[in-house]
Amino acid sequence: SHATHALQGFTLKTPEEVQGNPQVPAKVRRKVSRFFECDTCLKVFWEGPKFESTREKFAAFVTPTAAGTPEPP
């Protein structure tokens, strides 16, 4: 499986890689080009209407490093 780490703790996935995953509706898979799978719980996220609010919630739990990559507190 082709996987590139985009964020610490998440694996970048293509629409083809999430095909058949019940978390990702077919219409979303057709419209979105990249997905982020949590390495711990395997929940799949994508940029959509709720993306910014979800990102802000996660930001409260991580501290940026000098390189700009989030790191757990």
Side-chain angles (χ1 to χ4, degrees):
S1 166
H2 167 72
T4 304
H5 291 282
L7 299 171
Q8 182 178 346
F10 291 87
T11 301
L12 185 63
K13 298 283 187 172
T14 65
E16 293 78 19
E17 291 174 309
V18 299
Q19 184 173 351
N21 186 321
Q23 299 176 73
V24 184
K27 68 179 184 176
V28 171
R29 195 172 28 80
R30 287 191 297 269
K31 293 179 181 181
V32 177
S33 62
R34 64 183 184 169
F35 297 86
F36 304 92
E37 184 179 75
C38 176
D39 294 339
T40 303
C41 70
L42 303 181
K43 186 168 182 174
V44 178
F45 299 90
W46 57 88
E47 292 184 42
K50 297 180 186 177
F51 179 77
E52 192 62 34
S53 64
T54 301
R55 189 176 68 81
E56 289 171 5
K57 288 177 189 175
F58 280 114
F61 297 103
V62 295
T63 305
T65 64
T69 304
E71 199 173 80

